[in-house]
Amino acid sequence: MAFRVVLVGRPNVGKSAVFNRLYGRRRALVHDKPGMTRDALEVAAVTGSGRPYTLVDTGGLDLDAAGGFAQWTSERALHSVADADLLLFVLDGIVGLLPEDKRLTAKLRALGKPTVVVWNKVDAKAAEQGISDAHALGFDRIIGLSALHGTGVDDLEDLIDAALPPDLDADTRTAPLPIAIVGRPNVGKSSLVNALLGGDRVMVSEVAGTTRDPIDVVVERRVHQPSAPSADVQPDGSEGPRAATPADVRRYLLVDTAGIRRKGKTHDAAEILSVLAAKKSLERARIAVIVFDAFEGITSQDATITGYAEEAGCGILLVANKWDLIEKDRERCNRLKAEVQERFVFARRAPFLPLSTVTRRSVSKLLPEADALAQRYATKMSTGELNRLLQKSFERQSPRGRNGRDMKIRYAVQSGSEPPVIRLFADRAEQLHFSFERYLQNRLREKWPLDGVPLRFVVRKSE
Ligand code: GDP
């Protein structure tokens, strides 16, 4: 059963134009004349990330057409709306909210279907400024869009993508999570890779490169389900041990293990090689495991490498290896923990794992930590919640641009994910002042679980 995305709205708000933008081809007729309606049109569409869905245009739901609610109750439109998995409620931002729109809102809310409000025609100033009216309708997801110019269409596709049920996305779910293990020479990266491969719950298969010197290594981990109270009755009612299903196996791609093993002949060469290897593998990873030496403490090189991981947009997991060498010294352990908080400024609140590849202390915690981090890394912020939070934040501290001048931010959407990117629509395209950006970062991190996840802001000028 294909996921049905259904466009609704009164006539002439631009549903056909939105339809054409999403479908990518001009199949439907677009007319400027009021009252122009068409038959429901249904096509097989795909999102930007290539996931299929069915896109349906209902024509116009004209509550004031001859016969009052005649058109609304017409079987075809009603069926389309009733069968919808996601409604795109299109409004005309230039005209603003009409009484019909409000009545339609009441109808749609009564249906309780997941709904995205599409505030169209934001290429016009009036529409751009009126978008706050759309928030008053009480729907969570609101997109400012110009079907004419194409702005906002990516964001809408992202929302459709996010609404698709996860089982349509089996490929990405079973694709291994790419992890880069980086750090200075001799902190124990190779030992950590070996420890991960040697554990009793991992299996290894080698990809690319030669068997002797594999480049990327896939590690599998069986995820043990919590057992039911009675040992031989399973949650699904069946008896006996449950066979592992693909969902019980997690896969990880350890990026460039050959680079980890490659050693420089001199100390300097080793340092340079480790930084080069780190930069290259961070580009291909989603999670960066930053290994440092608990005995030596944190060095500026460790902070530099963490900075690269941030720049590369990786989720960050800090590992203090060789914990066995200091664990008996309570005070020293606590000092190191405090130092982690101070030194890794942007990675503050990144998960921190003290570990030893010699005693194997906490080695088995690393992959589950990476999973939890990957989940935070994929955080999706709803447009409604995001804008409410930002409005509140702006009341306490008003936005400032890089040069310190006040800035007006009208609206925000999460325009990218993994890692999350927030696009801010402002009166000018200027980067945020660093202290204001830090303030916003903190507000967002209070609301969403983003520990260890880099968060980016992009400022766009809104006309
Ligand atoms: P890499 O250059 O980061 O890959 O570091 P290696 O894995 O080659 O390890 C460097 C040295 O640290 C080796 O002598 C390891 O035996 C040692 N080492 C690695 N992990 C630990 C640990 O958890 N505890 C202790 N005491 N030594 C370790």
Side-chain angles (χ1 to χ4, degrees), residues 217-237:
V217 172
V218 175
V219 183
E220 290 189 346
R221 179 173 73 96
R222 270 180 210 291
V223 181
H224 297 292
Q225 305 289 326
S227 49
S230 157
D232 40 33
V233 179
Q234 299 301 317
D236 62 0

Side-chain angles (χ1 to χ4, degrees), residues 181-194 259-263 270 274 291 293 295 320-325 355-361 363:
I181 295 177
V182 293
R184 297 170 47 233
N186 289 318
V187 292
K189 298 180 297 298
S190 307
S191 310
L192 180 57
V193 169
N194 290 336
I260 292 171
R261 294 199 171 97
R262 210 174 293 128
K263 307 276 183 205
S274 75
V291 188
D293 187 323
F295 188 77
N321 188 32
K322 312 194 188 176
W323 199 256
D324 54 295
L325 298 179
L355 161 157
S356 166
T357 63
V358 169
T359 65
R360 300 195 61 86
R361 174 202 158 108
V363 169

